mmCIF file of all heavy atoms in Angstrom:
data_model
loop_
_atom_site.group_PDB
_atom_site.id
_atom_site.type_symbol
_atom_site.label_atom_id
_atom_site.label_comp_id
_atom_site.label_asym_id
_atom_site.label_seq_id
_atom_site.Cartn_x
_atom_site.Cartn_y
_atom_site.Cartn_z
ATOM 1 N N THR A 29 -130.257 19.328 -146.840
ATOM 2 C CA THR A 29 -131.113 20.399 -146.568
ATOM 3 C C THR A 29 -131.331 21.311 -147.690
ATOM 4 O O THR A 29 -130.296 21.852 -148.143
ATOM 5 C CB THR A 29 -130.766 21.057 -145.222
ATOM 6 O OG1 THR A 29 -130.729 20.058 -144.069
ATOM 7 C CG2 THR A 29 -131.823 22.028 -144.828
ATOM 8 N N VAL A 30 -132.536 21.672 -147.986
ATOM 9 C CA VAL A 30 -132.726 22.728 -149.017
ATOM 10 C C VAL A 30 -133.669 23.826 -148.466
ATOM 11 O O VAL A 30 -134.756 23.504 -147.899
ATOM 12 C CB VAL A 30 -133.175 22.178 -150.368
ATOM 13 C CG1 VAL A 30 -133.595 23.183 -151.247
ATOM 14 C CG2 VAL A 30 -132.396 21.102 -150.875
ATOM 15 N N ASP A 31 -133.277 25.032 -148.515
ATOM 16 C CA ASP A 31 -134.160 26.105 -148.115
ATOM 17 C C ASP A 31 -135.203 26.492 -149.221
ATOM 18 O O ASP A 31 -134.764 26.928 -150.309
ATOM 19 C CB ASP A 31 -133.306 27.356 -147.870
ATOM 20 C CG ASP A 31 -134.038 28.653 -147.394
ATOM 21 O OD1 ASP A 31 -135.271 28.361 -147.125
ATOM 22 O OD2 ASP A 31 -133.493 29.646 -147.279
ATOM 23 N N LEU A 32 -136.446 26.207 -148.886
ATOM 24 C CA LEU A 32 -137.414 26.372 -149.882
ATOM 25 C C LEU A 32 -137.597 27.871 -150.304
ATOM 26 O O LEU A 32 -138.130 28.197 -151.389
ATOM 27 C CB LEU A 32 -138.765 25.857 -149.455
ATOM 28 C CG LEU A 32 -138.815 24.327 -149.263
ATOM 29 C CD1 LEU A 32 -140.168 23.830 -148.839
ATOM 30 C CD2 LEU A 32 -138.403 23.531 -150.539
ATOM 31 N N ASP A 33 -137.195 28.684 -149.448
ATOM 32 C CA ASP A 33 -137.382 30.224 -149.714
ATOM 33 C C ASP A 33 -136.392 30.588 -150.893
ATOM 34 O O ASP A 33 -136.566 31.639 -151.423
ATOM 35 C CB ASP A 33 -137.095 31.023 -148.488
ATOM 36 C CG ASP A 33 -138.315 30.926 -147.464
ATOM 37 O OD1 ASP A 33 -139.424 30.729 -148.015
ATOM 38 O OD2 ASP A 33 -138.086 31.059 -146.310
ATOM 39 N N SER A 34 -135.319 29.802 -151.014
ATOM 40 C CA SER A 34 -134.386 30.214 -152.107
ATOM 41 C C SER A 34 -134.730 29.670 -153.444
ATOM 42 O O SER A 34 -133.995 29.950 -154.455
ATOM 43 C CB SER A 34 -132.995 29.694 -151.632
ATOM 44 O OG SER A 34 -132.985 28.196 -151.679
ATOM 45 N N LEU A 35 -135.839 28.842 -153.572
ATOM 46 C CA LEU A 35 -136.203 28.193 -154.860
ATOM 47 C C LEU A 35 -137.163 29.032 -155.641
ATOM 48 O O LEU A 35 -137.849 29.807 -155.130
ATOM 49 C CB LEU A 35 -136.711 26.776 -154.550
ATOM 50 C CG LEU A 35 -135.731 25.804 -153.832
ATOM 51 C CD1 LEU A 35 -136.595 24.510 -153.574
ATOM 52 C CD2 LEU A 35 -134.605 25.663 -154.536
ATOM 53 N N GLU A 36 -137.131 28.722 -156.993
ATOM 54 C CA GLU A 36 -138.153 29.247 -157.805
ATOM 55 C C GLU A 36 -138.970 28.034 -158.377
ATOM 56 O O GLU A 36 -138.507 27.088 -158.543
ATOM 57 C CB GLU A 36 -137.484 29.979 -158.989
ATOM 58 C CG GLU A 36 -136.757 31.173 -158.506
ATOM 59 C CD GLU A 36 -135.933 31.928 -159.558
ATOM 60 O OE1 GLU A 36 -135.943 31.429 -160.791
ATOM 61 O OE2 GLU A 36 -135.263 32.976 -159.390
ATOM 62 N N TYR A 37 -140.255 28.365 -158.653
ATOM 63 C CA TYR A 37 -141.109 27.232 -158.969
ATOM 64 C C TYR A 37 -141.942 27.468 -160.268
ATOM 65 O O TYR A 37 -142.253 28.625 -160.730
ATOM 66 C CB TYR A 37 -142.219 27.075 -157.802
ATOM 67 C CG TYR A 37 -141.604 26.640 -156.491
ATOM 68 C CD1 TYR A 37 -141.178 27.608 -155.587
ATOM 69 C CD2 TYR A 37 -141.480 25.278 -156.141
ATOM 70 C CE1 TYR A 37 -140.666 27.257 -154.361
ATOM 71 C CE2 TYR A 37 -140.949 24.910 -154.920
ATOM 72 C CZ TYR A 37 -140.549 25.851 -154.089
ATOM 73 O OH TYR A 37 -140.032 25.466 -152.929
ATOM 74 N N ASP A 38 -142.296 26.364 -160.919
ATOM 75 C CA ASP A 38 -143.140 26.305 -162.018
ATOM 76 C C ASP A 38 -144.509 25.780 -161.501
ATOM 77 O O ASP A 38 -144.587 25.067 -160.422
ATOM 78 C CB ASP A 38 -142.726 25.348 -163.166
ATOM 79 C CG ASP A 38 -141.755 26.010 -164.102
ATOM 80 O OD1 ASP A 38 -142.046 27.269 -164.390
ATOM 81 O OD2 ASP A 38 -140.794 25.316 -164.472
ATOM 82 N N LEU A 39 -145.612 26.090 -162.195
ATOM 83 C CA LEU A 39 -146.828 25.421 -161.994
ATOM 84 C C LEU A 39 -147.027 24.250 -163.073
ATOM 85 O O LEU A 39 -146.831 24.508 -164.260
ATOM 86 C CB LEU A 39 -148.019 26.376 -162.133
ATOM 87 C CG LEU A 39 -148.478 27.161 -161.055
ATOM 88 C CD1 LEU A 39 -149.706 28.117 -161.475
ATOM 89 C CD2 LEU A 39 -148.795 26.433 -159.805
ATOM 90 N N VAL A 40 -147.191 23.005 -162.569
ATOM 91 C CA VAL A 40 -147.273 21.965 -163.394
ATOM 92 C C VAL A 40 -148.794 21.521 -163.412
ATOM 93 O O VAL A 40 -149.403 21.454 -162.340
ATOM 94 C CB VAL A 40 -146.538 20.691 -162.960
ATOM 95 C CG1 VAL A 40 -146.805 19.439 -163.817
ATOM 96 C CG2 VAL A 40 -145.004 21.032 -162.921
ATOM 97 N N GLN A 41 -149.395 21.318 -164.547
ATOM 98 C CA GLN A 41 -150.781 21.060 -164.707
ATOM 99 C C GLN A 41 -150.926 19.587 -164.928
ATOM 100 O O GLN A 41 -150.506 19.084 -166.033
ATOM 101 C CB GLN A 41 -151.428 21.802 -165.943
ATOM 102 C CG GLN A 41 -152.954 21.536 -166.131
ATOM 103 C CD GLN A 41 -153.523 22.471 -167.158
ATOM 104 O OE1 GLN A 41 -153.722 23.631 -166.859
ATOM 105 N NE2 GLN A 41 -153.676 21.911 -168.347
ATOM 106 N N LEU A 42 -151.714 18.869 -164.151
ATOM 107 C CA LEU A 42 -152.098 17.444 -164.286
ATOM 108 C C LEU A 42 -153.361 17.307 -165.272
ATOM 109 O O LEU A 42 -153.295 16.448 -165.991
ATOM 110 C CB LEU A 42 -152.314 16.757 -162.931
ATOM 111 C CG LEU A 42 -151.022 16.099 -162.298
ATOM 112 C CD1 LEU A 42 -151.282 15.689 -160.792
ATOM 113 C CD2 LEU A 42 -150.523 14.974 -163.187
ATOM 114 N N GLU A 43 -154.180 18.240 -164.994
ATOM 115 C CA GLU A 43 -155.492 18.169 -165.814
ATOM 116 C C GLU A 43 -155.993 19.638 -165.677
ATOM 117 O O GLU A 43 -155.595 20.408 -164.800
ATOM 118 C CB GLU A 43 -156.359 17.189 -165.485
ATOM 119 C CG GLU A 43 -156.935 17.329 -164.022
ATOM 120 C CD GLU A 43 -157.928 16.290 -163.666
ATOM 121 O OE1 GLU A 43 -157.635 15.127 -163.299
ATOM 122 O OE2 GLU A 43 -159.197 16.705 -163.738
ATOM 123 N N PRO A 44 -156.904 20.118 -166.586
ATOM 124 C CA PRO A 44 -157.463 21.445 -166.381
ATOM 125 C C PRO A 44 -157.929 21.811 -165.028
ATOM 126 O O PRO A 44 -158.606 20.898 -164.463
ATOM 127 C CB PRO A 44 -158.627 21.396 -167.458
ATOM 128 C CG PRO A 44 -158.250 20.432 -168.446
ATOM 129 C CD PRO A 44 -157.492 19.383 -167.682
ATOM 130 N N ASN A 45 -157.511 22.883 -164.547
ATOM 131 C CA ASN A 45 -157.841 23.294 -163.108
ATOM 132 C C ASN A 45 -157.285 22.595 -161.954
ATOM 133 O O ASN A 45 -157.555 22.730 -160.830
ATOM 134 C CB ASN A 45 -159.371 23.395 -162.953
ATOM 135 C CG ASN A 45 -159.979 24.422 -163.909
ATOM 136 O OD1 ASN A 45 -159.475 25.487 -164.148
ATOM 137 N ND2 ASN A 45 -161.260 24.064 -164.311
ATOM 138 N N PHE A 46 -156.189 21.765 -162.314
ATOM 139 C CA PHE A 46 -155.506 20.886 -161.186
ATOM 140 C C PHE A 46 -154.033 21.101 -161.520
ATOM 141 O O PHE A 46 -153.418 20.509 -162.384
ATOM 142 C CB PHE A 46 -155.997 19.512 -161.329
ATOM 143 C CG PHE A 46 -155.440 18.636 -160.284
ATOM 144 C CD1 PHE A 46 -155.354 19.245 -158.952
ATOM 145 C CD2 PHE A 46 -154.983 17.376 -160.389
ATOM 146 C CE1 PHE A 46 -154.748 18.398 -157.806
ATOM 147 C CE2 PHE A 46 -154.478 16.612 -159.386
ATOM 148 C CZ PHE A 46 -154.313 17.077 -158.086
ATOM 149 N N VAL A 47 -153.390 21.764 -160.462
ATOM 150 C CA VAL A 47 -151.874 22.204 -160.713
ATOM 151 C C VAL A 47 -151.119 21.919 -159.385
ATOM 152 O O VAL A 47 -151.819 21.744 -158.322
ATOM 153 C CB VAL A 47 -151.768 23.687 -161.150
ATOM 154 C CG1 VAL A 47 -152.393 23.891 -162.394
ATOM 155 C CG2 VAL A 47 -152.288 24.550 -160.053
ATOM 156 N N PHE A 48 -149.907 21.820 -159.452
ATOM 157 C CA PHE A 48 -149.052 21.814 -158.257
ATOM 158 C C PHE A 48 -147.789 22.575 -158.585
ATOM 159 O O PHE A 48 -147.382 22.900 -159.732
ATOM 160 C CB PHE A 48 -148.824 20.414 -157.775
ATOM 161 C CG PHE A 48 -148.128 19.573 -158.836
ATOM 162 C CD1 PHE A 48 -146.725 19.532 -158.683
ATOM 163 C CD2 PHE A 48 -148.852 18.753 -159.717
ATOM 164 C CE1 PHE A 48 -145.880 18.757 -159.709
ATOM 165 C CE2 PHE A 48 -148.031 18.035 -160.621
ATOM 166 C CZ PHE A 48 -146.616 17.892 -160.595
ATOM 167 N N LEU A 49 -146.940 22.968 -157.407
ATOM 168 C CA LEU A 49 -145.785 23.562 -157.527
ATOM 169 C C LEU A 49 -144.644 22.588 -157.821
ATOM 170 O O LEU A 49 -144.613 21.522 -157.296
ATOM 171 C CB LEU A 49 -145.479 24.422 -156.375
ATOM 172 C CG LEU A 49 -146.431 25.597 -156.173
ATOM 173 C CD1 LEU A 49 -146.017 26.329 -154.821
ATOM 174 C CD2 LEU A 49 -146.409 26.533 -157.246
ATOM 175 N N PHE A 50 -143.623 22.918 -158.651
ATOM 176 C CA PHE A 50 -142.428 22.143 -158.822
ATOM 177 C C PHE A 50 -141.170 23.024 -159.051
ATOM 178 O O PHE A 50 -141.300 24.022 -159.782
ATOM 179 C CB PHE A 50 -142.668 21.269 -160.153
ATOM 180 C CG PHE A 50 -141.661 20.264 -160.463
ATOM 181 C CD1 PHE A 50 -141.502 19.241 -159.662
ATOM 182 C CD2 PHE A 50 -140.845 20.417 -161.527
ATOM 183 C CE1 PHE A 50 -140.395 18.305 -159.941
ATOM 184 C CE2 PHE A 50 -139.845 19.555 -161.853
ATOM 185 C CZ PHE A 50 -139.574 18.517 -160.984
ATOM 186 N N PRO A 51 -140.079 22.704 -158.353
ATOM 187 C CA PRO A 51 -138.824 23.475 -158.590
ATOM 188 C C PRO A 51 -138.560 23.625 -160.107
ATOM 189 O O PRO A 51 -138.504 22.692 -160.764
ATOM 190 C CB PRO A 51 -137.786 22.639 -157.960
ATOM 191 C CG PRO A 51 -138.614 21.793 -156.806
ATOM 192 C CD PRO A 51 -139.794 21.526 -157.498
ATOM 193 N N MET A 52 -138.196 24.964 -160.444
ATOM 194 C CA MET A 52 -138.042 25.422 -161.754
ATOM 195 C C MET A 52 -136.797 24.538 -162.454
ATOM 196 O O MET A 52 -136.777 24.274 -163.674
ATOM 197 C CB MET A 52 -137.771 26.808 -161.964
ATOM 198 C CG MET A 52 -137.923 27.295 -163.266
ATOM 199 S SD MET A 52 -137.796 29.131 -163.435
ATOM 200 C CE MET A 52 -139.561 29.469 -162.786
ATOM 201 N N ASP A 53 -135.824 24.101 -161.616
ATOM 202 C CA ASP A 53 -134.723 23.416 -162.117
ATOM 203 C C ASP A 53 -134.868 21.861 -162.167
ATOM 204 O O ASP A 53 -133.912 21.261 -162.293
ATOM 205 C CB ASP A 53 -133.412 23.757 -161.378
ATOM 206 C CG ASP A 53 -133.438 23.474 -159.954
ATOM 207 O OD1 ASP A 53 -134.548 23.234 -159.425
ATOM 208 O OD2 ASP A 53 -132.426 23.563 -159.258
ATOM 209 N N GLY A 54 -136.114 21.390 -161.845
ATOM 210 C CA GLY A 54 -136.310 19.993 -161.964
ATOM 211 C C GLY A 54 -136.626 19.485 -163.279
ATOM 212 O O GLY A 54 -136.778 20.198 -164.282
ATOM 213 N N LEU A 55 -136.867 18.152 -163.368
ATOM 214 C CA LEU A 55 -137.107 17.512 -164.680
ATOM 215 C C LEU A 55 -138.458 16.867 -164.520
ATOM 216 O O LEU A 55 -138.793 15.979 -163.670
ATOM 217 C CB LEU A 55 -136.103 16.518 -164.982
ATOM 218 C CG LEU A 55 -136.295 15.646 -166.178
ATOM 219 C CD1 LEU A 55 -136.214 16.418 -167.529
ATOM 220 C CD2 LEU A 55 -135.268 14.503 -166.224
ATOM 221 N N VAL A 56 -139.367 17.136 -165.550
ATOM 222 C CA VAL A 56 -140.702 16.402 -165.595
ATOM 223 C C VAL A 56 -140.698 15.451 -166.860
ATOM 224 O O VAL A 56 -140.481 15.947 -167.951
ATOM 225 C CB VAL A 56 -141.821 17.415 -165.809
ATOM 226 C CG1 VAL A 56 -143.175 16.809 -165.948
ATOM 227 C CG2 VAL A 56 -141.802 18.438 -164.664
ATOM 228 N N VAL A 57 -140.856 14.126 -166.517
ATOM 229 C CA VAL A 57 -141.024 13.213 -167.598
ATOM 230 C C VAL A 57 -142.528 12.690 -167.673
ATOM 231 O O VAL A 57 -143.083 12.266 -166.785
ATOM 232 C CB VAL A 57 -140.086 11.983 -167.325
ATOM 233 C CG1 VAL A 57 -140.219 10.892 -168.428
ATOM 234 C CG2 VAL A 57 -138.620 12.384 -167.081
ATOM 235 N N VAL A 58 -143.049 12.864 -168.953
ATOM 236 C CA VAL A 58 -144.442 12.600 -169.046
ATOM 237 C C VAL A 58 -144.696 11.214 -169.365
ATOM 238 O O VAL A 58 -144.065 10.616 -170.302
ATOM 239 C CB VAL A 58 -145.068 13.626 -170.140
ATOM 240 C CG1 VAL A 58 -146.502 13.438 -170.315
ATOM 241 C CG2 VAL A 58 -144.684 15.088 -169.692
ATOM 242 N N GLY A 59 -145.812 10.622 -168.814
ATOM 243 C CA GLY A 59 -146.389 9.447 -169.331
ATOM 244 C C GLY A 59 -145.524 8.197 -169.241
ATOM 245 O O GLY A 59 -144.785 7.903 -168.320
ATOM 246 N N ALA A 60 -145.564 7.390 -170.362
ATOM 247 C CA ALA A 60 -145.045 6.034 -170.362
ATOM 248 C C ALA A 60 -143.587 5.989 -170.364
ATOM 249 O O ALA A 60 -143.008 4.982 -170.117
ATOM 250 C CB ALA A 60 -145.581 5.246 -171.605
ATOM 251 N N ASP A 61 -142.879 7.234 -170.494
ATOM 252 C CA ASP A 61 -141.341 7.177 -170.238
ATOM 253 C C ASP A 61 -141.014 6.989 -168.943
ATOM 254 O O ASP A 61 -139.740 6.675 -168.767
ATOM 255 C CB ASP A 61 -141.046 8.735 -170.809
ATOM 256 C CG ASP A 61 -141.134 8.835 -172.306
ATOM 257 O OD1 ASP A 61 -141.189 7.804 -172.978
ATOM 258 O OD2 ASP A 61 -141.345 9.908 -172.701
ATOM 259 N N GLY A 62 -141.862 6.974 -167.962
ATOM 260 C CA GLY A 62 -141.462 6.726 -166.543
ATOM 261 C C GLY A 62 -142.124 5.442 -166.076
ATOM 262 O O GLY A 62 -143.165 5.091 -166.545
ATOM 263 N N PRO A 63 -141.550 4.847 -165.061
ATOM 264 C CA PRO A 63 -142.194 3.630 -164.476
ATOM 265 C C PRO A 63 -143.390 3.958 -163.573
ATOM 266 O O PRO A 63 -143.514 4.970 -162.950
ATOM 267 C CB PRO A 63 -140.997 3.059 -163.718
ATOM 268 C CG PRO A 63 -140.285 4.166 -163.163
ATOM 269 C CD PRO A 63 -140.309 5.171 -164.425
ATOM 270 N N ALA A 64 -144.254 3.014 -163.536
ATOM 271 C CA ALA A 64 -145.457 3.184 -162.659
ATOM 272 C C ALA A 64 -145.031 2.866 -161.203
ATOM 273 O O ALA A 64 -144.126 1.965 -160.957
ATOM 274 C CB ALA A 64 -146.477 2.137 -163.005
ATOM 275 N N ALA A 65 -145.530 3.695 -160.305
ATOM 276 C CA ALA A 65 -145.216 3.388 -158.905
ATOM 277 C C ALA A 65 -145.742 2.048 -158.328
ATOM 278 O O ALA A 65 -145.227 1.491 -157.540
ATOM 279 C CB ALA A 65 -145.672 4.511 -158.041
ATOM 280 N N ASN A 66 -146.940 1.777 -158.923
ATOM 281 C CA ASN A 66 -147.678 0.397 -158.331
ATOM 282 C C ASN A 66 -148.218 -0.239 -159.588
ATOM 283 O O ASN A 66 -149.293 -0.032 -160.076
ATOM 284 C CB ASN A 66 -148.787 0.862 -157.459
ATOM 285 C CG ASN A 66 -148.334 1.315 -156.230
ATOM 286 O OD1 ASN A 66 -148.017 2.503 -156.087
ATOM 287 N ND2 ASN A 66 -148.226 0.510 -155.139
ATOM 288 N N PRO A 67 -147.408 -1.062 -160.212
ATOM 289 C CA PRO A 67 -147.678 -1.715 -161.530
ATOM 290 C C PRO A 67 -149.023 -2.595 -161.415
ATOM 291 O O PRO A 67 -149.734 -2.733 -162.418
ATOM 292 C CB PRO A 67 -146.429 -2.690 -161.834
ATOM 293 C CG PRO A 67 -145.411 -2.004 -161.046
ATOM 294 C CD PRO A 67 -145.939 -1.497 -159.732
ATOM 295 N N GLN A 68 -149.378 -3.072 -160.256
ATOM 296 C CA GLN A 68 -150.567 -3.901 -160.113
ATOM 297 C C GLN A 68 -151.798 -3.276 -160.087
ATOM 298 O O GLN A 68 -152.860 -3.759 -160.266
ATOM 299 C CB GLN A 68 -150.413 -4.929 -158.973
ATOM 300 C CG GLN A 68 -150.711 -4.228 -157.558
ATOM 301 C CD GLN A 68 -149.269 -3.583 -157.144
ATOM 302 O OE1 GLN A 68 -148.359 -3.489 -157.772
ATOM 303 N NE2 GLN A 68 -149.310 -3.333 -155.817
ATOM 304 N N GLY A 69 -151.809 -1.926 -159.733
ATOM 305 C CA GLY A 69 -152.971 -1.089 -159.702
ATOM 306 C C GLY A 69 -153.901 -1.553 -158.536
ATOM 307 O O GLY A 69 -153.450 -2.120 -157.626
ATOM 308 N N LEU A 70 -155.150 -1.146 -158.653
ATOM 309 C CA LEU A 70 -156.196 -1.557 -157.734
ATOM 310 C C LEU A 70 -157.509 -1.577 -158.243
ATOM 311 O O LEU A 70 -157.945 -2.600 -158.854
ATOM 312 C CB LEU A 70 -156.081 -0.644 -156.499
ATOM 313 C CG LEU A 70 -157.138 -0.942 -155.413
ATOM 314 C CD1 LEU A 70 -156.858 -2.268 -154.763
ATOM 315 C CD2 LEU A 70 -156.998 0.144 -154.311
ATOM 316 N N LEU A 71 -158.204 -0.360 -158.377
ATOM 317 C CA LEU A 71 -159.488 -0.365 -158.950
ATOM 318 C C LEU A 71 -159.413 -0.639 -160.472
ATOM 319 O O LEU A 71 -160.288 -1.356 -161.015
ATOM 320 C CB LEU A 71 -160.181 1.045 -158.725
ATOM 321 C CG LEU A 71 -160.243 1.430 -157.291
ATOM 322 C CD1 LEU A 71 -161.050 2.767 -157.163
ATOM 323 C CD2 LEU A 71 -161.153 0.323 -156.488
ATOM 324 N N THR A 72 -158.417 -0.093 -161.080
ATOM 325 C CA THR A 72 -158.167 -0.358 -162.534
ATOM 326 C C THR A 72 -156.689 -0.380 -162.712
ATOM 327 O O THR A 72 -155.939 0.155 -161.830
ATOM 328 C CB THR A 72 -158.731 0.825 -163.419
ATOM 329 O OG1 THR A 72 -158.200 1.970 -163.136
ATOM 330 C CG2 THR A 72 -160.272 0.782 -163.309
#
Side-chain angles (χ1 to χ4, degrees):
T29 302
V30 177
D31 181 7
L32 295 181
D33 285 337
S34 66
L35 299 179
E36 298 175 354
Y37 294 90
D38 275 321
L39 278 179
V40 178
Q41 179 175 282
L42 268 170
E43 61 178 84
N45 292 324
F46 183 42
V47 299
F48 63 89
L49 294 180
F50 182 69
M52 192 172 288
D53 59 346
L55 174 65
V56 179
V57 181
V58 180
D61 292 334
N66 292 84
Q68 73 276 16
L70 179 61
L71 301 180
T72 60

